[in-house]
Amino acid sequence: MEKLRFSDEVFEKGAGRIYELLIRISMPALVVGVAIIAVINGGLLTQTAGLPDAVKILFMILIVIYVVPSLFIFPTAWMLRSWKTRDLRDSYVLAGKKSIEYHKIVDKTVKETTENVYIATQIKKVEETDRKYTVIGSILEKNSGVRSTELVIPKAYENMELIRRAARYR
């Protein structure tokens, strides 16, 4: 079995794409917000009396619709991405010719790490989306003994095409 480890590049293109997108959209708003604060503190807003009302309204819309929400979106997306990558870095996938083992970290503390091991056999097909692979077959969660038919693996590991290979060799 080949061990698939976490890859930052694959994560940013796959499972972490939404976080990266939110960060890239909201980061310029922080710069705009700092510029607006500088304009207000510099007293330049007192000179806007001669501007048309449409310009003043657009300025207010920029602040209310883009800058203020981005002050919340940027740190939230950054923290969610950090938490997700922290768990995925320690998780890994073992891909064999006829089976897949997904070792998923579900809880991590200073003293201990809790890991769920999912074993997929009799794989019927593997569905791929932008953010994940869905393995359909006989899935066993090793810790609890629960059986299911679907296993979702986030796109965050190198050489994930080996997962598709396991569906061909039933």
Side-chain angles (χ1 to χ4, degrees), residues 156-167:
Y157 303 97
E158 57 192 17
N159 298 328
M160 289 195 77
E161 63 274 356
L162 295 176
I163 293 173
R164 291 182 90 44
R165 181 185 70 183

Side-chain angles (χ1 to χ4, degrees), residues 14-61:
R17 185 173 181 205
I18 187 69
Y19 305 122
E20 195 64 31
L21 181 67
L22 288 172
I23 288 170
R24 288 182 185 203
I25 289 172
S26 62
M27 190 177 297
L30 300 177
V31 175
V32 169
V34 169
I36 289 171
I37 291 171
V39 166
I40 292 171
N41 286 339
L44 296 175
L45 280 182
T46 58
Q47 301 171 0
T48 61
L51 291 174
D53 287 339
V55 173
K56 293 178 189 176
I57 291 172
L58 286 175
F59 183 71
M60 292 306 292
I61 289 173

Side-chain angles (χ1 to χ4, degrees), residues 19-129:
Y19 305 122
E20 195 64 31
L21 181 67
L22 288 172
I23 288 170
R24 288 182 185 203
I25 289 172
S26 62
M27 190 177 297
L30 300 177
V31 175
V32 169
V34 169
I36 289 171
I37 291 171
V39 166
I40 292 171
N41 286 339
L44 296 175
L45 280 182
T46 58
Q47 301 171 0
T48 61
L51 291 174
D53 287 339
V55 173
K56 293 178 189 176
I57 291 172
L58 286 175
F59 183 71
M60 292 306 292
I61 289 173
L62 173 72
I63 292 172
V64 171
I65 292 179
Y66 183 56
V67 175
V68 173
S70 293
L71 293 175
F72 298 100
I73 291 171
F74 178 80
T76 303
W78 182 76
M79 288 186 65
L80 289 173
R81 182 185 69 176
S82 298
W83 292 340
K84 185 81 169 172
T85 57
R86 181 190 67 183
D87 291 340
L88 289 174
R89 279 188 203 286
D90 294 332
S91 300
Y92 60 92
V93 178
L94 292 173
K97 287 190 176 187
K98 295 182 180 182
S99 67
I100 296 169
E101 285 186 25
Y102 180 34
H103 295 256
K104 179 180 179 183
I105 302 297
V106 290
D107 189 26
K108 189 173 182 180
T109 62
V110 175
K111 290 186 178 181
E112 65 180 315
T113 301
T114 306
E115 175 184 78
N116 282 353
V117 179
Y118 299 93
I119 302 171
T121 56
Q122 299 175 357
I123 300 168
K124 294 179 180 133
K125 70 178 180 175
V126 176
E127 296 174 352
E128 179 182 358
T129 63

